[in-house]
Amino acid sequence: MLSYRHSFHAGNHADVLKHTVQSLIIESLKEKDKPFLYLDTHSGAGRYQLSGEHAEKTGEYLEGIARIWQRDDVPAELEAYLSAVKHFNRGEQLRYYPGSPLIARQLLRDFDKIHLTELHPTDFPLLRNEFSKDERAKVMKADGYQQLKSQLPPLSRRGFVLIDPPYEMKTDYQDVVKGIQEGYKRFATGVYALWYPVVLRQQIKRMTRDLQDTGIRRILQIELAVRPDSDQRGMTASGMIVINPPWKLEQQMRDVLPWLHKVLVPEGTGHAKVEWIVPE
Ligand code: SAM
């Protein structure tokens, strides 16, 4: 089942959190003068038109990126992320939102590598076109979970894996844990970042318990909620679970999350948290 289209949600509060964490991890890995692999298992289309029918229909970006991209009090932790967003929006108007592959494309260096997979029959060709002239990139119509076996460890022995499934199927909550286990078995020093939505809190509690049971250490959880947990339909919060986070990430997110929460949720509902699911 591939009915999920990220174009309905691009630039929402969950993307702001996800892409902030993604950009901070990339910037940290760039501090060493050695190449690394960026592997995006669920890439999406790459670029989203915010004046398009899908984004207009939900208007989610209006309560996300639109609230921060032009403020003049933006914390330093958001600089790399917003520089990528601004690259695609040269004027005053917010017209495009770059998804995770295009944020990586902007931030990575010439000698880094980008491996992207996407299965959707409409989004895959869009993604492939975005990267047709990028020699660093390999874009495949393939199952993202499979890449955690076939693409790891990277030749460079340094890597960042973003796992961002749509959670259309309940099995995704278990598949991500199995996928991480497979990847970790082959490449235990990699940085893995898993995005999750909070729709039903029980699903996330179970997923984090399953992750704890893998025995993997150094697992950091970063979460931004716009509303309290609820049994009603709909996403109240989202988060990133990062395995082997760069040493600065915990403090960076502790510094920037209160600002993000204040600006993205002016009504003050929900919460922001950074905590270790499994420490060192
Ligand atoms: N990572 C993107 C970003 O931040 O811009 C958004 C990705 S979106 C949440 C999830 C994508 O995963 C969808 O485009 C969907 O078509 C794709 N997808 C679903 N199942 C997949 C699978 N097994 N392998 C690869 N891609 C898959």
Side-chain angles (χ1 to χ4, degrees):
M1 186 174 71
L2 279 169
S3 53
Y4 179 92
R5 304 293 305 282
H6 197 63
S7 43
F8 287 101
H9 310 290
N12 67 3
H13 63 83
D15 264 6
V16 171
L17 178 71
K18 181 203 315 171
H19 297 144
T20 297
V21 173
Q22 179 201 10
S23 62
L24 287 171
I25 294 173
I26 291 177
E27 290 304 295
S28 280
L29 287 171
K30 279 162 60 179
E31 284 173 10
K32 259 199 195 155
D33 197 21
K34 294 197 172 130
F36 65 89
L37 168 70
Y38 171 75
L39 171 61
D40 200 327
T41 59
H42 297 70
S43 297
R47 181 189 305 241
Y48 303 96
Q49 201 177 343
L50 296 176
S51 57
E53 190 193 328
H54 291 183
E56 289 282 11
K57 187 166 174 197
T58 60
E60 289 186 18
Y61 75 97
L62 296 171
E63 295 180 354
I65 186 62
R67 288 195 168 153
I68 59 171
W69 83 295
Q70 276 186 327
R71 289 181 66 110
D72 50 20
D73 60 343
V74 169
E77 290 81 3
L78 293 173
E79 261 169 34
Y81 164 50
L82 290 182
S83 73
V85 173
K86 286 180 183 165
H87 174 84
F88 296 96
N89 295 280
R90 294 292 167 87
E92 289 291 293
Q93 208 194 338
L94 185 58
R95 297 175 62 200
Y96 298 103
Y97 188 76
S100 52
L102 290 201
I103 290 175
R105 192 177 83 189
Q106 276 313 111
L107 299 181
L108 292 184
R109 302 158 299 183
D110 286 349
F111 54 82
D112 296 318
K113 295 271 182 252
I114 310 181
H115 287 189
L116 308 169
T117 48
E118 170 56 48
L119 274 182
H120 197 283
T122 312
D123 286 346
F124 172 72
L126 297 172
L127 181 70
R128 190 180 46 196
N129 285 347
E130 289 287 349
F131 284 86
S132 59
K133 295 198 183 85
D134 193 324
E135 290 181 359
R136 302 167 301 178
K138 187 155 110 184
V139 186
M140 291 166 290
K141 190 167 186 201
D143 175 35
Y145 295 119
Q146 196 56 37
Q147 307 312 304
L148 295 162
K149 296 185 195 168
S150 62
Q151 304 291 318
L152 298 178
L155 276 177
S156 55
R157 302 281 154 174
R158 299 183 75 220
F160 168 25
V161 183
L162 178 65
I163 306 164
D164 182 18
Y167 297 92
E168 273 182 295
M169 293 179 286
K170 288 211 178 76
T171 49
D172 272 332
Y173 293 94
Q174 282 102 55
D175 290 344
V176 291
V177 177
K178 281 190 226 140
I180 286 173
Q181 261 182 311
E182 291 291 348
Y184 194 87
K185 231 171 22 193
R186 292 162 174 81
F187 182 41
T189 54
V191 181
Y192 297 81
L194 167 66
W195 180 84
Y196 66 86
V198 181
V199 179
L200 287 176
R201 177 61 68 180
Q202 280 312 322
Q203 288 166 321
I204 303 308
K205 283 197 174 149
R206 179 163 173 213
M207 188 179 78
T208 46
R209 259 199 320 270
D210 289 347
L211 271 171
Q212 285 165 329
D213 290 344
T214 62
I216 297 173
R217 309 219 47 94
R218 300 197 69 227
I219 310 183
L220 185 68
Q221 181 178 26
I222 299 158
E223 187 173 290
L224 179 66
V226 296
R227 294 196 303 280
D229 291 353
S230 158
D231 292 340
Q232 310 297 313
R233 263 186 78 81
M235 177 173 73
T236 57
S238 72
M240 290 285 268
I241 289 178
V242 187
I243 296 170
N244 294 328
W247 67 273
K248 285 193 291 193
L249 187 68
E250 176 188 3
Q251 194 56 50
Q252 287 173 318
M253 291 312 297
R254 284 193 195 286
D255 291 343
V256 76
L257 260 191
W259 187 90
L260 274 180
H261 187 236
K262 183 182 80 189
V263 174
L264 292 175
V265 198
E267 55 277 30
T269 50
H271 61 256
K273 73 171 183 191
V274 179
E275 61 189 35
W276 289 94
I277 295 179
V278 185
E280 201 70 50

